[in-house]
Amino acid sequence: MSLNFSEIEKRWKKFWEENNTYKVEIDKDKPKYYVLDMFPYPSGAGLHVGHPLGYIASDIYSRYKRMSGYNVLHPMGFDSFGLPAEQYAIQTGIHPADSTRENINRYKGQLSNLGLNYDWSREVQTSDPDYYKWTQWIFARMFEHYYNTKLQKADSIDNLIAEFENKGNANVDAYGSEDRIFTAEEWKNMSDKEKDGVLMNYRLAYRKVGFVNWCEALGTVLANDEVKDGVSERGGHPVVKKPMNQWSLRTTAYAERLLNDMEKIDWSESLKTMQRNWIGRSEGLQMFFDLDGMDEKLEIYTTRPDTIFGVTFMVLSPEHPYVEKLTKPEFEKEVTEYKKYAVNRSEIERTSEKKVTGVFTGSYAVNPLNGKKIPVWISEYVLMDYGTGAIMAVPSDDDRDRAFAEKFDLPIIPVIDKSKYPGSTSKDKEGIMINSDFITGMEVPDAIRAVEDKVESMGIGKKQINYKLRDANFSRQRYWGEPFPVIYDDQEVAFLLPDDELPVELPPLNEFKPSTDGKSPLARNEKWVHEYEGFTRETDTMPGFAGSSWYFLRYMDPHNDDKFASEEALDYWQDVDFYIGGTEHAVGHLMYSRFYHKFLYDLGLVPTFEPFKRLVNQGMIQGVIEFLYLKKDKVNDKSVFVSADLISKDEEEDYAKIPVYIGFVKDYGSPKSYLDKKGIDEFRNWRKEYIDAEFVTSSGTYSAGKTELEDIKFYTLSEIGKMSKRYHNVVNPDDVVAEHGADTFRMYEMFLGPIEQSKPWDTKGIDGINKFIKRFWSLYIDMDDNWIVTEEKATNEELKILHKTIKKVTEDIANLSFNTAISAMMVFVNDAKKMNIHKSEILIPMIKVIAPFAPFISEELWHKAGKEGSVHHQLFPVFDESYLKESTVSYPISVNGKKRGIEEFSKDLSKEELEKKALELKYVQKWIEGKNVMKVIVVPGRMINIVVK
RNA sequence: GCCGAAGUGGUGGAAUUGGUAGACACGCUGGACUCAAAAUCCAGUGAUAGCGAUAUCGUGUGGGUUCGAGUCCCACCUUCGGUACCA
């Protein structure tokens, strides 16, 4: 009755805002600490209970850090460019800026209801021109730089141009994709357009022909997400790869650094493994095969040069430029058809199905080491954008090549004897070479080296390091993204707009549909496109990651109009100490952010070479999805639902699974979830098309609103999955906060389990937290709202309970074990209740201990205690080890490893004394009677084990 | 297929380096208070046998190392994530 949480929440939300409690400024007298959440995309659906899991954890952690004397930067913002707002605009005509603003306001309201301690004065929005001015500015710098392989850092493109003018490009230390060699003279004679083309092959932000998902029927380019099984998700129209000029970022230039610098950061090993796999470094040999009857040579890449004598055919990607030339007339029809087939298949399809496809071109290549002629095939399992788009196939030692050879009846020559290496697979580089000319008899690693040397000495190849990592596609044919600060002259040579014209703002538009030739909607605004006399603007926009790859830097100095952040701010805040977010961003976002950060580091614009020191992935809170089984075919023109207990695994495919609002389902989330009579009626009224449906259960049938069975149980199917509107299982945190209070909601989410672990949302246990908070409150305030804390001196026993709790909570926060920290506080309350503790010496520190977890009631109690300021600016209590000392230890006494009793012994007893006392125990006597005591193991402070025989 | 993580009561989950398995909480059972209910408080709660003391079993399965294994090793099963014909 005295704990009115909604009133308390209102009061302190206002107080914190009025007093700028969470505002932070540079304070050189204090050490800094930067705690960052991955900022959300403000979707129309609002936050669900899954989102706050990470936010609450970082809130607790940052509050604790502030209370430990740090100057804590803990900001929040919005990744507010994105596809959904644009699609919404296409459907409704509402401008993305308007719907985004509305969504952001809703998000902010929801976040503030949770009592999160963000410094909102530092909010950033990626769609705000004051912000994307700097997104464009960084892009411009990338355009102006290339990667210098000697300095191993980004360098001005002007330096490269100077080198070209001096000595051409034969010996430049530049990472790029230019394959022509030219002299200084040739460079000087090039046209502007040619020069632009060459420089594009070196710039870190550059233009090249890339492939987009083009859907002819919709007349638009689709994102990977919008393509399912080779057809558009909307409408199911065919999607093909269409070549278009696209901006890219030369992320591959940084591959080695992105890989190696991971050793220096505190990320989980599994996350680092994911990043490593994405980068995908491999060492191998690049070499040329002669083509029979042709001048061109076929370039391939292999990580297994040792198997070269086992090569029995070559495989080219269907997109390989040589395919046409290699195809003999009599094979043309098949090859053309196969190419058509491959281009209509999405990359996902091409790579995920197990079936083996391919066609012969009619041409042959020549193995340079033994002169053997080998047939050249094409197949979709070879991808154009990895390696050289061509492989030498070794069916004896590669699973895919073997499957291919078996299907098309191609020869298989064994070249490695693995009999000495049991369990070794074709992927393991071990075994002894056979049938292999000059390397026969060698161990595999030696053979690899021997072939590499041989090939290099013959001048037909060289050792090479390859990366799976691809340059990032940086163009989107969309409206709701950052425009490029780029214009083209009539020769299509790209020019940057000067920095003082930034930001290039998105022009107004009243039609957001893409234009039909695959161009971005921006192309519709002719006036804007041709604003510069004689020039045309770039009409593509930047991808989502352009804005989200550097936002953490902007928080340091969000309102600076001269720089993306001042040197002073960067120097003080440095980098993110602690970053928390979902695994779904584990690869893409983190890789791009690291790339951006390293680039800015090279330019001397940020002080650290990695952006995120420590990173934790929170698990997902999943939803329970409840389905009803509906017979796919109607019976007597009626829909028939069948109770889940009546359906066997084999019959499942005869049924459709209809999601049902979980609120109708009894015991939802359990294997025995069911609809009772009321639930069935609720469902029928909710989905009117099923109002006359039949519901078949084991005890009888409910038909068209009638049943004789009062206690009918219609079982439903429970699954765990994403929270989504589609499954009618979204739980809004606002509802939970309104019902139970923000502090309860926060602690409950943390109490559910370890932060990294995914778990289904379930309110079953929330009463436990509610009870705990009420009991905690009742230590301070009685039923009649009287403050009952006394100034009486605390006993040692009481102090011990306090300090034990402080110790446990402190350690658990550091480990992010919030669930056990909360259980320690519960133990405290249980003890304090039992001992009837109401002493301020114990209870005032406890307000501070609970403060990071329950910011509202702790603030209320702090002020009820007559204290000034905010509890969140107090210092966290430090535990005193001297209160924790025990004079006795309780020893488990085991005989042969089986516990037989527990004894309290003084902690000062020696091993020998403990052994003696243990052997004297009555029940020990009973267990060792008639047997020989072999030995007694005494671990002081731990346990005693008596071994008998 | 491969990589990663994980399998512990009816449920969510505890358990430094191998050392009392099941903390804390939910749920359930019984009791107190109440005309009654809610709330609150007290007691019990891994399984089996027994009135009980107690005994036996028990951390996905099967082996192993050890005085001692939820924890380490080997093989396997299941689930969840990620990922792919990457040459």
Side-chain angles (χ1 to χ4, degrees):
Chain A
M1 57 193 63
S2 53
L3 179 54
N4 182 341
F5 52 79
S6 71
E7 194 185 286
I8 290 172
E9 285 167 23
K10 221 168 111 191
R11 171 157 56 243
W12 299 112
K13 258 197 267 185
K14 190 160 163 254
F15 175 90
W16 294 332
E17 203 174 307
E18 283 171 357
N19 291 281
N20 286 321
T21 303
Y22 303 127
K23 199 167 156 61
V24 61
E25 296 294 346
I26 291 174
D27 177 353
K28 293 190 172 148
D29 296 334
K30 278 186 183 173
K32 70 98 189 185
Y33 202 87
Y34 186 177
V35 180
L36 182 66
D37 290 300
M38 287 185 187
F39 64 166
Y41 172 77
S43 87
L47 288 176
H48 63 65
V49 290
H51 293 104
L53 189 68
Y55 303 154
I56 295 167
S58 68
D59 187 74
I60 293 169
Y61 198 74
S62 58
R63 285 176 187 277
Y64 170 75
K65 278 286 174 182
R66 184 185 303 110
M67 292 178 79
S68 305
Y70 288 90
N71 194 29
V72 175
L73 176 58
H74 186 45
M76 185 44 113
F78 297 94
D79 187 11
S80 45
F81 273 134
L83 211 46
E86 184 161 329
Q87 277 166 347
Y88 188 67
I90 292 170
Q91 285 159 21
T92 62
I94 294 169
H95 196 280
D98 295 329
S99 58
T100 300
R101 189 179 322 112
E102 207 169 288
N103 290 344
I104 287 177
N105 285 336
R106 176 155 181 227
Y107 267 62
K108 284 172 84 167
Q110 287 182 301
L111 291 171
S112 107
N113 283 345
L114 298 171
L116 304 172
N117 75 112
Y118 296 121
D119 176 358
W120 282 110
S121 74
R122 290 175 181 267
E123 177 186 352
V124 303
Q125 296 178 9
T126 54
S127 61
D128 179 353
D130 290 342
Y131 178 86
Y132 69 65
K133 169 180 176 176
W134 298 105
T135 307
Q136 293 170 340
W137 185 88
I138 294 169
F139 166 82
R141 299 295 82 77
M142 288 181 179
F143 181 81
E144 286 174 338
H145 285 80
Y146 76 104
Y147 197 78
N148 185 314
T149 49
K150 193 173 168 194
L151 303 175
Q152 276 297 316
K153 61 184 275 197
D155 190 10
S156 167
I157 197 88
D158 292 337
N159 294 342
L160 188 65
I161 294 171
E163 288 218 42
F164 288 169
E165 286 174 353
N166 266 326
K167 49 179 193 186
N169 77 338
N171 292 308
V172 288
D173 300 305
Y175 180 90
S177 51
E178 179 60 62
D179 42 22
R180 281 168 301 169
I181 303 291
F182 52 80
T183 63
E185 217 42 49
E186 285 168 323
W187 168 257
K188 283 175 200 156
N189 289 330
M190 283 185 201
S191 69
D192 285 351
K193 180 159 177 60
E194 284 172 310
K195 282 185 178 168
D196 178 67
V198 170
L199 291 177
M200 281 296 184
N201 286 332
Y202 292 99
R203 294 180 192 276
L204 288 175
Y206 67 101
R207 230 154 78 103
K208 68 164 181 196
V209 174
F211 289 86
V212 296
N213 299 311
W214 171 252
C215 180
E216 187 64 45
L218 295 173
T220 176
V221 173
L222 298 175
N224 281 333
D225 281 357
E226 299 173 296
V227 185
K228 288 258 153 72
D229 306 323
V231 296
S232 64
E233 198 176 24
R234 276 179 296 142
H237 305 295
V239 175
V240 295
K241 298 262 178 239
K242 181 181 178 175
M244 277 177 93
N245 243 324
Q246 305 267 303
W247 285 96
S248 292
L249 300 186
R250 211 173 293 281
T251 41
T252 47
Y254 283 79
E256 197 72 27
R257 280 165 68 187
L258 288 168
L259 188 67
N260 294 339
D261 289 348
M262 264 188 305
E263 282 168 25
K264 297 162 193 162
I265 46 183
D266 181 15
W267 293 12
S268 73
E269 224 19 74
S270 57
L271 193 68
K272 288 184 184 178
T273 306
M274 271 195 237
Q275 293 245 322
R276 275 189 209 111
N277 291 344
W278 181 285
I279 296 168
R281 183 185 198 271
S282 69
E283 289 177 14
L285 182 69
Q286 173 212 29
M287 65 181 291
F288 291 93
F289 277 59
D290 281 330
L291 289 165
D292 192 39
M294 278 175 67
D295 293 337
E296 283 94 345
K297 289 170 192 294
L298 183 62
E299 182 185 2
I300 61 106
Y301 175 76
T302 179
T303 52
R304 296 300 301 272
D306 52 311
T307 61
I308 186 131
F309 294 100
V311 176
T312 56
F313 56 100
M314 311 291 283
V315 187
L316 264 57
S317 157
E319 291 87 10
H320 198 283
Y322 285 8
V323 170
E324 216 164 307
K325 279 181 256 178
L326 286 168
T327 304
K328 296 279 187 251
E330 59 268 40
F331 296 96
E332 207 171 295
K333 192 163 160 260
E334 281 103 322
V335 169
T336 313
E337 262 171 32
Y338 189 75
K339 281 179 75 171
K340 226 166 104 190
Y341 154 84
V343 82
N344 277 315
R345 282 161 63 79
S346 72
E347 197 168 314
I348 294 167
E349 273 184 315
R350 276 178 64 163
T351 57
S352 64
E353 286 175 18
K354 299 261 174 274
K355 69 177 175 185
V356 178
T357 64
V359 290
F360 180 43
T361 60
S363 291
Y364 291 84
V366 180
N367 187 334
L369 293 195
N370 61 7
K372 261 198 201 165
K373 271 171 67 174
I374 42 183
V376 179
W377 288 65
I378 63 173
S379 173
E380 60 179 346
Y381 82 88
V382 176
L383 302 179
M384 194 55 225
D385 42 16
Y386 182 76
T388 62
I391 61 161
M392 59 175 219
V394 186
S396 59
D397 286 278
D398 182 285
D399 298 337
R400 295 174 316 273
D401 296 348
R402 173 181 289 271
F404 196 85
E406 280 169 355
K407 162 116 189 199
F408 295 106
D409 220 7
L410 294 157
I412 298 171
I413 306 170
V415 285
I416 299 174
D417 175 11
K418 285 187 179 279
S419 56
K420 271 194 174 170
Y421 296 89
S424 176
T425 69
S426 62
K427 284 198 159 64
D428 300 318
K429 295 180 182 174
E430 54 197 15
I432 291 168
M433 303 310 302
I434 51 172
N435 301 330
S436 289
D437 200 304
F438 70 98
I439 51 171
T440 299
M442 287 187 189
E443 290 278 348
V444 165
D446 300 328
I448 290 176
R449 242 167 289 135
V451 173
E452 281 171 350
D453 292 346
K454 176 90 177 168
V455 165
E456 285 191 330
S457 71
M458 288 167 75
I460 53 165
K462 59 172 197 257
K463 279 190 267 185
Q464 192 181 301
I465 291 164
N466 248 16
Y467 298 96
K468 214 165 95 182
L469 184 75
R470 302 175 199 170
D471 282 351
N473 183 326
F474 203 65
S475 281
R476 299 290 182 268
Q477 291 71 43
R478 303 281 177 185
Y479 172 72
W480 193 230
E482 301 86 350
F484 282 83
V486 169
I487 52 175
Y488 302 99
D489 68 10
D490 56 359
Q491 294 292 303
E492 270 221 49
V493 175
F495 293 89
L496 281 181
L497 290 169
D499 287 350
D500 59 19
E501 291 197 29
L502 300 183
V504 176
E505 290 201 36
L506 271 173
L509 218 61
N510 38 32
E511 170 70 72
F512 303 100
K513 276 204 189 90
S515 58
T516 44
D517 53 0
K519 278 200 174 158
S520 150
L522 288 180
R524 290 174 185 279
N525 191 328
E526 289 279 330
K527 191 169 157 255
W528 182 78
V529 173
H530 299 292
E531 201 172 313
Y532 295 87
E533 184 81 44
F535 291 89
T536 317
R537 280 188 195 266
E538 170 63 68
T539 55
D540 284 351
T541 53
M542 299 186 193
F545 68 83
S548 60
S549 293
W550 70 280
Y551 74 108
F552 46 92
L553 298 170
R554 187 63 174 170
Y555 284 133
M556 296 177 184
D557 191 11
H559 307 296
N560 194 326
D561 203 34
D562 301 321
K563 292 184 170 174
F564 67 81
S566 71
E567 274 161 41
E568 190 200 7
L570 283 158
D571 189 51
Y572 181 75
W573 295 113
Q574 294 272 318
D575 54 7
V576 177
D577 294 280
F578 187 85
Y579 196 22
I580 183 160
T583 344
E584 63 270 27
H585 303 293
V587 185
H589 164 64
L590 292 175
M591 190 68 74
Y592 296 133
S593 297
R594 293 179 64 219
F595 165 75
Y596 265 65
H597 200 82
K598 285 180 186 305
F599 170 70
L600 295 172
Y601 175 75
D602 284 354
L603 270 54
L605 297 172
V606 296
T608 62
F609 58 86
E610 281 283 336
F612 314 122
K613 273 204 200 99
R614 181 180 177 198
L615 185 131
V616 170
N617 285 122
Q618 94 260 13
M620 267 208 279
I621 292 216
Q622 296 147 317
V624 169
I625 310 172
E626 292 288 344
F627 293 103
L628 305 185
Y629 281 109
L630 169 67
K631 270 199 174 144
K632 279 183 178 161
D633 303 315
K634 288 194 175 183
V635 179
N636 300 330
D637 210 29
K638 266 190 180 173
S639 300
V640 177
F641 290 93
V642 178
S643 182
D645 56 325
L646 299 176
I647 296 170
S648 71
K649 263 244 156 81
D650 320 333
E651 298 169 320
E652 248 189 332
E653 33 184 271
D654 301 334
Y655 294 87
K657 294 193 284 185
I658 307 294
V660 53
Y661 173 56
I662 51 169
F664 300 160
V665 182
K666 289 269 182 309
D667 293 338
Y668 71 77
S670 79
K672 285 177 284 182
S673 56
Y674 66 97
L675 290 175
D676 58 10
K677 188 164 179 297
K678 185 164 153 269
I680 295 177
D681 289 337
E682 283 170 332
F683 173 75
R684 289 168 56 234
N685 286 309
W686 179 58
R687 298 285 296 269
K688 296 279 191 204
E689 65 267 40
Y690 299 125
I691 191 98
D692 290 324
E694 282 194 0
F695 295 82
V696 180
T697 74
S698 56
S699 51
T701 297
Y702 179 120
S703 182
K706 281 188 216 109
T707 177
E708 266 113 66
L709 299 155
E710 264 317 306
D711 54 349
I712 189 165
K713 279 193 175 180
F714 183 90
Y715 289 100
T716 56
L717 171 73
S718 298
E719 281 183 8
I720 300 296
K722 277 198 173 128
M723 279 203 183
S724 150
K725 269 185 175 171
R726 187 163 146 210
Y727 297 126
H728 312 287
N729 63 352
V730 175
V731 184
N732 184 338
D734 286 350
D735 298 340
V736 186
V737 167
E739 195 181 340
H740 300 281
D743 288 332
T744 300
F745 177 75
R746 289 165 58 103
M747 294 188 90
Y748 181 60
E749 284 224 348
M750 293 300 102
F751 190 61
L752 275 175
I755 190 81
E756 289 101 333
Q757 196 171 303
S758 289
K759 53 228 148 190
W761 173 255
D762 184 348
T763 43
K764 254 191 275 167
I766 202 163
D767 284 344
I769 296 286
N770 225 328
K771 248 187 250 178
F772 158 72
I773 287 181
K774 282 186 194 154
R775 279 159 63 83
F776 185 83
W777 179 265
S778 73
L779 295 172
Y780 300 80
I781 286 163
D782 71 7
M783 300 289 279
D784 303 317
D785 233 354
N786 299 310
W787 182 254
I788 50 172
V789 177
T790 67
E791 291 307 314
E792 212 181 321
K793 189 98 185 77
T795 65
N796 268 353
E797 198 188 351
E798 290 165 340
L799 284 164
K800 185 173 156 188
I801 291 168
L802 171 69
H803 284 269
K804 202 175 77 187
T805 308
I806 297 171
K807 180 170 193 250
K808 177 80 178 140
V809 172
T810 306
E811 289 169 354
D812 284 350
I813 291 177
N815 295 328
L816 302 181
S817 301
F818 299 127
N819 55 335
T820 50
I822 291 168
S823 97
M825 290 187 261
M826 287 173 166
V827 171
F828 170 86
V829 169
N830 290 345
D831 288 348
K833 275 280 184 187
K834 231 171 259 164
M835 295 167 67
N836 212 10
I837 299 175
H838 294 287
K839 297 171 180 173
S840 74
E841 198 181 345
I842 304 296
L843 293 181
I844 297 299
M846 274 310 291
I847 299 178
K848 300 179 195 167
V849 170
I850 204 174
F853 297 84
F856 292 107
I857 63 148
S858 55
E859 194 77 292
E860 176 78 8
L861 288 171
W862 182 251
H863 287 264
K864 276 219 158 49
K867 306 284 186 184
E868 292 296 314
S870 169
V871 67
H872 303 297
H873 286 173
Q874 307 308 312
L875 283 179
F876 201 84
V878 176
F879 64 89
D880 183 341
E881 200 72 54
S882 65
Y883 290 113
L884 303 179
K885 291 210 175 107
E886 305 266 1
S887 55
T888 62
V889 180
S890 66
Y891 282 93
I893 313 295
S894 302
V895 179
N896 280 349
K898 227 177 230 326
K899 190 186 79 179
R900 295 300 175 188
I902 297 167
E903 295 302 321
E904 287 277 326
F905 291 132
S906 160
K907 95 182 205 312
D908 300 321
L909 287 184
S910 71
K911 263 192 176 189
E912 290 71 28
E913 287 168 311
L914 284 167
E915 182 176 332
K916 189 161 159 268
K917 280 195 182 263
L919 287 171
E920 281 165 0
L921 291 165
K922 241 195 204 149
Y923 56 82
V924 171
Q925 289 291 324
K926 194 181 89 187
W927 283 101
I928 64 178
E929 206 186 333
K931 292 173 180 152
N932 291 327
V933 175
M934 306 301 287
K935 59 175 161 179
V936 179
I937 289 150
V938 179
V939 183
R942 280 282 181 202
M943 45 66 68
I944 297 166
N945 188 20
I946 296 150
V947 186
V948 296
K949 213 174 180 181

